[in-house]
């Protein structure tokens, strides 16, 4: 999130699109309600009418997978009616940048496309520069090659007629949302967007979010209290686990994983550190070498020296074009490329798209380590449906771990608040905190290499793993290493501005630097004071980076440093502060430089962007610099009404025997989406085993409209089978007015929805009066063109009755 | 002094107790005796944060003699102000649950059942497996002759349910082994 949960209360318009906030983040509705009580308008756009829709002032339907068409129409409406916040757009975004002559867009394709590789040559989308390398600009936004004019041209095609035909949203509903949301372009009105997996789990997931980010920039809503782009993340510490980079492509914190071409540390730093010729850009990532060296010092401690590049060679490297993301991982596993596998606090047999492929992949392993609180479909895959244990070689170790209340440590919520938890009770039986398991496992491996040698033992023998106190994992020791040390004094660094690239500082994850310093454990703070009055609670816990509660907050003020809206100031420049030198009051600003009018000393507000401004034109993404509507891989229409490119031209399509996709196939005529319910969580491993929760939601169901029920002869409560090209599950039918058929370009299109919390292992019931299996047996293993997040929110399925309600 | 909601409740309780029967017009003694009998009386309060979604609602664990006796919303928490959803309110059963895994379990190749084993036995055997997989799949140089120093034959998924400190430790452990196939929930 750019903002945080309590901040919802500061908004004038709250758009919830791509999530079901009231059911999946229920307590956060408190702050939406607080905004509504102030007169704010709450809009829910979703294929299903949910409990969020019931709380919204306006519910607007759209077909799964058509969000860019909807948002593209909104961009057009805002530009046509000149509702943008011009001063913000001209000064804080790249709207004025001149795009090079090689950029073009025609019939769904940007320039530079290679259809064989399904890849673009992005050099075609570069900006035009002058003789000094500075980007050419037209602050009047009139130049036909400037971003603003190209944007206008790009979305001119997204009129409400075509948008309505694609999305199935009635035209009057489109206009209503566009008018209400467009009203936030005024400096004294702010809109916010709340999204979740309803936007990410698409082949165009990244561009869904980018389209909204562009709208927020055009309307001047980023950096503002009550504004921003707010991802409602699904897990308690998925923000933290991302910050710590348990992902193939990044290392802590958000530095790219070294690749083969980065032959040494100098090459890595030189190649990956962004550069700019823009004189007013802070280009914060120019500090990357400091963060990288400090990270290596945290990895390898004293063994990492200047002479050995701080152990850079010991760190594993990807091949230059290697992609090890989730779908690729299970594809490689299915091909038998791994002998060993850790499923640590995860249940991929139910959470992975095309779960049959995942389950078969597990059978190709020699061994698996499964760490969890409860038995689950992954650890027990070998005796699951369709499996013959006598033919499965995989050796499985199931290790019992402590739950959150049985250990100590911190977690980061969606608003980047990092809060400390204390141990309340001992774990049951022989279960252990995960930290102890990791330390003991490392020690067992280290001893083997120390004794017997083996392939390249240095990184194992030199790894800094001194995090035990009295033989037990000590979260404080790790938290301090994550914060970082001044190695010359042995003191904790105050924050990341103190980090160096010469090996005299260590820091596990630079954005957490400042969380546990010589002032103490900032994450454990419980001070409820709120001097700004806008709900920042700056002394409650700690927030990354440097306790900044709303990021990009220097965009919330005008060129003189005065808030666009003084009623909800995030920061403001006080010329009298700092003994007359001037200073910022309020939240921690994005850098302490004076306001933009001081052209000598100021810096542009978007400090993480190389050019200092936000990107309305985004030349870094894989499928183009502007979001364009493409249909989901599996969809109910045989052509894209906006171009002859039906699906995302840059999305990777797998072609193995288990990778089945069928579109516009009469066997699978209905659009299907997966989702969650309040009473269960993810694959249900932490909720299905809890009797109180299982009683409230005992079994898998599928929701469908009354019209579809009639068409298929299905009544409420009947047992049905839901099937896609990849698999099938049994479910109880909920025939409801909450789902309505869509009118898509004159055709009736039905949509169904199915939650994904269930699995065969528990509850056990062979007669199907409880339980069920994973909805991910149905979902396709195709991913977003940038992130490879699976397209679980829009695919094609069928539903048929098995048994009448008994 | 700014008074928190919990302090307010405590303070008003004290004030109410001091008021006595005559001023209030009704007898408080049954309520007092009920409060005295509350199961959390004398229990240690430990603040917590919910383990489910990313709102991070505040929770309080009440522990008496090393035993969890109650788990509820934390009224002082600025985000949740004491509220919890159905899942957060049921979190007590994560700890107090007969279905929890309490022993290390092992399933041998082609085996048809689980067997309970000791931590020592399992850790030693896993370490042996890791070494075998790593040594047989470790690549020092790729096809182009570039140094990559990675383990191709082991993959990991997990976990957004770990604390930050465990996540950092886990990535250190995995990358120390040379793994590049490192993924988790954030991708899906």
């Amino acid at each position: 999130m750019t903002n945080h949960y309590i901040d919802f209360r500061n908004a004038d318009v709250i758009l919830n699109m791509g999530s079901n906030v009231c059911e999946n983040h229920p307590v956060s509705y408190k702050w939406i309600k607080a905004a509504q009580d102030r007169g704010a308008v709450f809009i829910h756009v979703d294929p299903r009418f949910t409990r969020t829709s019931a709380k919204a002032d306006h519910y607007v339907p759209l077909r799964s997978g058509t969000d860019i068409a909807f948002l593209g129409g909104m961009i057009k409406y805002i530009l046509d009616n000149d509702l943008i916040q011009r001063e913000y757009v001209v000064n804080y975004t790249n709207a004025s940048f001149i795009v090079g002559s090689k950029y073009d867009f025609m019939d769904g394709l940007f320039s530079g496309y290679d259809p064989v590789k399904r890849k673009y040559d992005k050099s075609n989308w570069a900006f035009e520069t002058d003789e000094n390398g500075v980007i050419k600009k037209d602050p009047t936004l009139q130049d036909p090659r400037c971003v603003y004019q190209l944007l206008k041209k790009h979305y001119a095609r997204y009129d409400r007629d075509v948008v309505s035909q694609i999305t199935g949203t009635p035209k009057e509903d489109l206009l209503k949302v566009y008018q209400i949301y467009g009203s936030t372009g005024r400096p004294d009105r702010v809109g916010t967007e709340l999204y979740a997996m309803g936007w990410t789990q698409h082949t165009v997931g990244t561009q869904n979010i980018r389209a909204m980010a562009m709208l927020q920039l055009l309307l001047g809503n980023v950096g503002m209290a009550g504004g921003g782009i707010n991802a409602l993340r699904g897990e308690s510490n998925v923000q933290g686990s991302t910050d710590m980079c348990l992902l193939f492509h990044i290392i802590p914190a958000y530095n790219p994983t070294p690749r083969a071409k980065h032959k040494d540390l100098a090459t890595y730093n030189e190649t990956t550190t962004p550069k700019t010729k823009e004189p007013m850009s802070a280009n914060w990532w120019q500090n990357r070498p400091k963060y990288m060296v400090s990270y290596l010092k945290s990895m390898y401690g004293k063994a990492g020296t200047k002479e050995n590049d701080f152990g850079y060679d010991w760190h594993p490297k990807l091949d230059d074009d290697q992609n090890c993301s989730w779908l690729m991982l299970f594809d490689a596993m299915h091909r038998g490329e791994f002998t060993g596998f850790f499923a640590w606090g995860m249940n991929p047999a139910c959470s992975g798209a095309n779960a049959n492929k995942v389950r078969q992949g597990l059978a190709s392993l020699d061994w698996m380590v499964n760490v969890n609180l409860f038995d689950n479909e992954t650890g027990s895959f070998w005796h699951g449906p369709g499996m013959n244990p006598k033919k499965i070689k995989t050796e499985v170790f199931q290790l019992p771990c402590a739950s959150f209340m049985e250990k100590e440590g911190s977690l980061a919520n969606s608003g980047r608040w990092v809060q400390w938890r204390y141990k309340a009770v001992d774990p049951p039986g022989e279960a252990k905190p995960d930290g102890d398991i990791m330390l003991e496992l490392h020690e067992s491996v280290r001893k083997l290499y120390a004794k017997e040698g083996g392939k390249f033992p240095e990184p194992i023998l030199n790894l800094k793993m001194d995090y035990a106190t009295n033989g037990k994992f000590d979260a404080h020791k790790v938290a301090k290493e994550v914060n970082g040390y001044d190695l010359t004094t042995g003191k904790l660094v105050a924050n990341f501005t103190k980090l160096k690239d010469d090996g005299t500082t260590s820091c596990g994850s630079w954005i957490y630097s400042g969380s546990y310093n010589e002032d103490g454990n900032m994450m454990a703070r419980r001070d409820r004071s709120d001097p700004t009055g806008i709900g920042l609670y700056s002394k409650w816990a700690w927030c990354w980076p440097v306790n900044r509660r709303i990021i990009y907050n220097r965009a919330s003020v005008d060129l003189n440093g005065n808030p666009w809206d003084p009623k909800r100031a995030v920061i403001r420049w006080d010329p009298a502060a700092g003994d007359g030198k001037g200073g910022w009051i309020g939240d921690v600003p994005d850098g302490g430089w004076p306001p933009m009018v001081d052209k000598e000393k100021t810096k542009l507000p978007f400090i993480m962007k190389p050019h200092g401004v936000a990107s309305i034109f985004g030349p870094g993404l894989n499928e183009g610099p502007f979001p364009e509507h493409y249909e989901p891989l599996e969809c109910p229409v045989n052509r894209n009404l906006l171009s002859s490119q039906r699906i995302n031209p840059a999305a990777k399509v797998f072609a193995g025997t288990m990778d089945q996709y069928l579109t516009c196939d009469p066997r699978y005529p209905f659009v299907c989406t997966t989702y969650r319910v309040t009473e269960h969580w993810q694959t249900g491993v932490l909720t299905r085993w809890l009797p109180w929760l299982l009683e409230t939601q005992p079994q898998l169901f599928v929701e469908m409209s009354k019209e579809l029920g009639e068409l298929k002869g299905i009544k409420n409560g009947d047992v049905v089978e839901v099937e896609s090209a990849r698999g099938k599950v049994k479910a109880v039918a909920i025939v409801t007015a909450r789902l309505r058929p869509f009118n898509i370009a004159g055709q009736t299109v039905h949509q169904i929805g199915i939650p994904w919390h269930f699995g065969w292992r528990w509850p056990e019931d062979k007669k199907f009066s409880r339980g069920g299996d994973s909805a991910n047996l149905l979902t396709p293993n195709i991913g977003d063109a940038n992130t490879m997040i699976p397209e679980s929110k829009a695919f094609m399925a069928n539903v048929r009755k098995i048994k009448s309600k008994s | 002094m700014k008074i928190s909601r919990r302090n307010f409740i405590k303070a008003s309780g004290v004030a109410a107790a001091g008021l006595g029967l005559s001023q209030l017009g009704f007898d408080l003694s049954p309520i007092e005796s009920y409060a005295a009998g509350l199961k959390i009386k004398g229990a240690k309060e430990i603040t917590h944060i919910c383990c489910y979604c990313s709102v991070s609602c505040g929770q309080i664990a009440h522990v008496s003699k090393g035993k969890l006796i109650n788990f509820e919303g934390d009224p002082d928490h600025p985000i949740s102000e004491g509220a919890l959803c159905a899942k957060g309110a049921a979190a007590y059963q994560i700890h107090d649950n007969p279905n929890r895994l309490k022993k290390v379990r092992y399933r041998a190749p082609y085996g048809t059942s689980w067997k309970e084993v000791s931590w020592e036995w399992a850790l030693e055997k896993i370490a042996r497996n890791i070494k075998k997989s790593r040594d047989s799949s470790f690549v020092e140089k790729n096809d182009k002759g570039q140094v990559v120093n990675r383990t191709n034959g082991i993959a990991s998924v997990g976990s957004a349910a770990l604390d930050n400190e465990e996540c950092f430790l886990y990535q250190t452990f995995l990358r120390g082994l040379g793994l590049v196939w490192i993924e988790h929930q954030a991708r899906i």
Side-chain angles (χ1 to χ4, degrees):
Chain A
M1 279 190 189
T2 53
N3 297 39
H4 60 101
Y5 283 103
I6 296 171
D7 186 60
F8 300 169
R9 80 177 200 211
N10 294 317
D12 295 309
V13 182
I14 297 168
L15 176 62
N16 183 212
M17 184 169 173
S19 105
N20 173 10
V21 59
C22 293
E23 293 188 66
N24 293 331
H25 301 81
V27 173
S28 74
Y29 175 66
K30 177 189 287 281
W31 301 111
I32 299 172
K33 177 76 168 50
Q36 283 177 294
D37 290 346
R38 262 186 40 246
V41 184
F42 178 33
I43 303 166
H44 190 221
V45 181
D46 201 275
R48 297 185 302 133
F49 186 95
T50 66
R51 283 183 273 187
T52 300
S53 320
K55 290 291 181 189
D57 298 293
H58 302 285
Y59 165 69
V60 171
L62 100 162
R63 169 171 64 99
S64 279
T66 62
D67 302 76
I68 290 174
F70 188 105
L71 297 174
M74 178 145 42
I75 294 173
K76 175 177 163 56
Y77 178 85
I78 282 164
L79 298 182
D80 286 352
N81 294 283
D82 199 20
L83 299 175
I84 67 167
Q85 191 183 334
R86 185 166 285 265
E87 202 179 342
Y88 185 108
V89 169
V90 170
N91 291 290
Y92 298 161
T93 79
N94 66 11
S96 66
F97 286 21
I98 308 294
V99 178
S101 59
K102 283 200 235 162
Y103 168 80
D104 198 8
F105 177 82
M106 206 183 286
D107 191 26
L109 285 176
F110 296 88
S111 46
Y113 186 62
D114 180 337
V116 179
K117 291 185 182 159
R118 294 182 60 78
K119 219 175 156 177
Y120 282 101
D121 173 1
K122 296 179 202 167
S123 67
N124 289 280
W125 313 333
F127 295 116
E128 219 168 279
T129 53
D130 66 16
E131 60 281 7
N132 298 317
V134 178
I135 295 164
K136 290 187 185 169
K137 302 171 188 81
D138 174 21
T140 69
L141 308 183
Q142 296 302 308
D143 189 304
R145 296 295 297 176
C146 81
V147 166
Y148 178 83
Q149 293 297 334
L150 293 176
L151 178 81
K152 209 166 180 173
K153 190 177 161 195
H154 190 88
Y155 291 103
R157 300 166 296 134
Y158 287 65
D159 63 61
R160 283 199 292 286
D161 286 317
V162 73
V163 170
S164 175
Q165 285 184 48
I166 292 170
T167 59
T169 311
K171 277 204 283 183
E172 56 277 16
D173 281 347
L174 290 172
L175 184 62
K176 185 169 66 189
V177 176
Y178 296 173
Q179 282 173 336
I180 295 170
Y181 208 82
S183 75
T184 67
R186 276 173 33 192
D188 63 347
R189 275 181 69 79
V190 186
T192 190
E193 206 315 300
L194 319 180
Y195 74 91
M197 311 319 277
W199 264 1
T200 58
Q201 290 177 340
H202 293 280
T203 36
V204 292
T206 308
Q207 296 281 21
N208 282 336
I209 297 148
R210 226 187 91 66
M212 191 68 217
M214 289 159 61
L215 277 161
Q216 288 295 67
L217 292 168
L218 291 168
L219 297 167
N221 287 336
V222 177
M224 301 286 287
I229 289 278
N230 296 305
L232 311 176
R233 306 204 64 179
E235 305 223 4
S236 59
N237 196 33
V238 71
Q239 186 58 55
S241 58
T242 310
D243 301 335
M244 299 301 161
C245 297
L246 284 166
L247 292 162
F248 90 93
H249 69 296
I250 40 176
I251 56 174
Y254 301 98
N255 286 309
T257 305
R259 295 199 177 249
K261 64 183 171 188
H262 307 132
K263 63 181 169 57
D264 50 27
L265 184 59
T267 312
Y268 175 88
N269 286 335
E270 173 62 24
T271 319
T272 67
T273 304
K275 294 174 189 68
T276 184
K277 297 271 172 66
E278 299 304 308
M280 276 159 55
S281 172
N283 184 25
W284 197 266
W285 275 118
Q286 68 176 293
N287 294 302
R288 173 162 289 151
K290 298 173 191 168
Y291 307 150
M292 182 62 182
V293 171
S294 298
Y295 161 73
L296 290 171
K297 287 301 291 178
S298 290
M299 285 291 284
Y300 306 114
K302 284 180 184 152
T305 62
K306 206 165 189 172
E307 290 65 41
N308 65 15
D309 256 0
F310 308 104
Y312 177 81
D313 267 359
W314 299 333
H315 200 285
K317 286 160 200 71
L318 295 160
D319 280 337
D320 292 347
D321 54 357
Q322 191 175 1
N323 186 318
C324 300
S325 62
W326 182 277
L327 295 175
M328 302 293 277
L329 188 157
F330 285 100
D331 191 58
M333 185 184 289
H334 191 256
R335 280 184 276 111
E337 290 190 12
F338 307 126
T339 50
F341 180 56
F342 295 97
W344 200 303
M346 275 211 79
N347 186 17
C350 285
S351 60
N354 195 359
N356 273 323
K357 184 177 173 180
V358 173
R359 293 175 185 187
Q360 289 201 14
L362 297 173
S364 77
L365 299 163
D366 286 351
W367 57 270
M368 162 166 48
V369 174
N370 179 225
V371 186
N372 218 310
L373 302 180
F374 296 97
D375 192 13
N376 56 81
E377 289 73 15
T378 301
S380 275
F381 83 96
W382 46 273
H383 63 107
M387 295 283 175
N388 179 356
K390 289 180 180 159
K391 292 192 172 165
I392 295 169
K393 67 175 172 181
T394 314
E395 196 176 24
V396 185
F397 301 84
Q398 195 167 47
L399 309 183
C401 60
S403 78
F404 72 113
M405 66 180 89
E406 298 152 5
K407 61 187 183 185
E408 187 171 13
S410 72
L411 77 171
N413 79 355
S414 273
R416 297 165 285 103
W417 288 25
V418 192
Q419 304 185 78
W420 195 262
R421 298 195 282 213
Y422 301 90
K423 178 181 168 179
V425 276
D426 286 330
E430 294 178 15
K432 287 187 189 193
D434 298 82
D436 284 304
I437 305 174
M438 293 166 196
L439 285 180
E440 288 173 28
L441 207 44
H442 169 76
E443 184 55 16
S444 305
V445 176
R446 194 196 63 80
K447 273 187 190 154
L448 279 182
Y449 276 89
K451 196 173 149 202
E452 301 172 9
K455 279 278 180 74
F456 201 62
E458 288 86 348
I460 294 170
L461 301 177
N462 291 325
L463 202 64
K464 188 177 181 312
M465 289 290 261
D466 53 350
Y467 301 119
T469 299
N470 299 326
K472 295 284 174 202
F473 169 73
D474 184 344
H476 294 268
K477 282 190 174 168
V478 182
K480 288 175 182 176
E481 187 62 58
V482 165
N483 175 84
Y485 286 95
D486 179 334
L487 299 170
T488 59
T489 63
K491 292 225 153 93
L492 293 158
V493 294
N495 59 50
F496 54 71
T497 62
K498 310 293 177 197
L499 298 177
K500 293 182 180 148
D501 63 0
D502 59 2
T504 60
T505 58
S506 70
C507 178
S509 182
W510 71 272
I511 56 172
Y512 280 68
S513 195
S515 63
Y516 201 132
N517 55 24
E518 293 293 330
D519 293 334
N521 183 352
M522 311 303 272
M523 302 172 280
R525 296 184 300 173
R526 282 176 66 88
D527 180 335
R528 283 177 51 95
S529 59
D530 181 30
T532 60
I534 56 166
L536 298 183
Y537 293 97
S538 299
K539 291 181 180 170
W540 182 276
W542 184 85
C543 167
W544 71 255
V546 286
N547 207 31
R548 182 176 301 134
R549 303 276 159 153
I550 296 179
I551 53 177
Y552 309 122
N553 55 27
R554 281 196 312 121
S556 72
V557 295
D558 64 17
L559 303 187
N560 292 304
N562 296 318
W564 295 115
D565 182 3
K567 293 194 303 297
R568 50 195 144 194
V570 183
I571 56 166
R572 80 182 161 80
W573 180 257
D574 178 0
D579 296 331
K581 286 183 207 152
W584 294 100
I585 309 291
D587 195 10
V588 178
D590 272 297
W593 307 284
M596 298 284 291
V597 283
D598 186 347
K599 286 191 176 166
E600 293 291 306
K601 293 186 191 149
T602 194
K603 293 287 176 196
L604 287 157
F606 286 87
I607 61 172
M608 302 312 287
K609 303 292 293 179
H611 305 314
V613 291
S615 303
I616 286 177
F617 187 85
L621 293 189
N622 287 340
E623 66 278 85
F626 289 132
E628 172 68 4
H629 167 70
Y630 302 110
E631 288 290 332
L633 173 71
E634 291 188 337
C635 65
V637 294
N638 51 22
R639 75 183 184 95
N640 177 354
L641 291 180
L642 278 165
S643 76
S644 52
Q645 295 299 317
R646 193 176 59 80
I647 69 160
N648 185 336
K652 177 178 167 56
V653 183
F654 291 86
T657 51
M658 294 290 287
D659 310 311
Q660 299 298 319
Y661 319 109
L662 288 168
T663 206
C664 296
D665 186 298
R667 287 172 292 172
Y668 304 106
F670 310 128
V671 180
C672 187
T673 188
T674 61
Y675 57 90
R676 305 193 302 172
V677 300
T678 305
E679 296 78 6
H680 284 295
W681 186 70
Q682 311 295 66
T683 69
V685 175
L686 288 191
T687 51
R688 278 187 270 136
W689 294 94
L690 276 53
W692 293 340
L693 294 173
L694 190 63
E695 189 177 350
T696 59
Q697 287 284 0
Q699 67 197 120
L700 184 62
F701 58 83
V702 57
E703 279 185 280
M704 67 189 74
S705 68
K706 290 181 170 174
E707 291 83 351
L708 180 57
E710 195 162 307
L711 185 74
K712 299 290 290 187
I714 296 168
K715 292 201 172 64
N716 203 26
D718 287 353
V719 177
V720 299
E721 187 172 69
V722 187
E723 185 177 7
S724 78
R726 294 154 295 278
K728 50 190 172 187
V729 285
K730 268 191 214 166
V732 171
I734 295 182
V735 181
T736 170
R738 292 193 301 268
L739 268 83
R740 303 288 301 276
F742 289 98
N743 177 352
I744 305 297
Q747 277 186 49
T748 300
V749 171
H750 293 281
Q751 170 133 17
I752 59 175
I754 186 165
W756 61 282
H757 303 296
F758 293 90
W760 61 268
R761 175 63 189 85
W762 190 263
E764 284 171 327
D765 192 318
K766 294 187 171 64
K767 288 183 183 160
F768 195 67
S769 59
R770 296 174 93 195
D773 211 337
S774 175
N776 276 315
L777 293 164
L778 308 172
T779 53
N781 55 317
I782 182 165
D784 169 83
N786 298 282
T787 64
M788 297 280 288
I789 288 182
E791 191 161 58
S792 313
K793 289 290 178 274
F795 57 94
M796 300 304 287
N798 204 345
V799 55
R800 64 181 66 86
K801 180 166 152 178
I802 299 179
K803 200 169 86 120
S804 292
K805 184 183 176 185
S806 50
Chain B
M1 186 188 112
K2 197 170 174 182
I3 200 156
S4 76
R5 286 174 53 157
R6 294 185 69 221
N7 287 340
F8 175 75
I9 292 162
K10 281 180 200 159
S12 46
V14 172
L19 284 174
L21 177 66
S22 59
Q23 288 126 305
L24 285 171
F26 58 88
D27 188 355
L28 272 170
S29 53
I31 299 166
E32 284 177 49
S33 61
Y34 170 72
L38 280 180
K39 66 175 181 178
I40 58 170
K41 187 169 182 281
K44 194 176 170 196
E45 282 192 351
I46 294 130
T47 58
H48 248 283
I49 304 291
C50 186
C51 65
Y52 289 112
C53 85
S54 63
V55 174
S56 277
C57 296
Q59 295 169 323
I60 297 174
H62 291 97
V63 177
S64 178
K65 294 172 192 154
K67 201 172 170 315
L68 183 71
I69 57 166
N70 186 53
F71 205 74
E72 64 182 37
D74 176 358
D76 284 345
H77 198 279
I79 298 175
S80 55
E81 298 180 326
L84 293 173
C85 74
K87 291 187 297 296
Y92 174 87
Q93 285 196 329
I94 288 183
H95 173 73
D96 185 4
N97 193 319
N99 301 314
R100 277 284 292 274
L101 295 169
K102 296 185 182 76
K103 298 239 176 184
V104 180
R105 301 203 297 176
Y106 174 71
R107 184 262 174 180
Y110 311 105
T112 53
S113 61
W114 289 108
K115 186 173 97 176
E116 287 182 356
V117 295
S118 72
W119 275 104
E120 294 68 28
W121 185 87
L123 288 171
E124 204 179 304
K125 202 161 165 59
I126 297 167
R128 183 59 69 190
N129 282 348
I130 291 173
K131 185 166 190 302
K132 190 178 167 197
S133 290
R134 183 181 180 275
D135 284 352
S136 62
S137 70
F138 196 83
V139 181
E140 285 169 325
K141 286 183 179 176
N142 65 10
D143 296 345
K144 289 185 190 166
Q146 296 163 312
V147 175
V148 291
N149 285 332
R150 64 167 185 253
T151 298
N152 281 343
I154 309 176
S156 165
V157 296
S159 173
L162 296 170
D163 291 341
N164 284 318
E165 294 71 28
E166 293 164 340
C167 288
F168 181 72
L169 187 67
Y170 192 45
Q171 83 86 32
T172 303
F173 167 65
L174 296 175
R175 291 186 162 118
L177 291 175
L179 263 66
V180 291
W181 293 94
I182 299 171
E183 284 283 285
H184 81 290
Q185 284 97 329
R187 183 77 62 191
I188 57 175

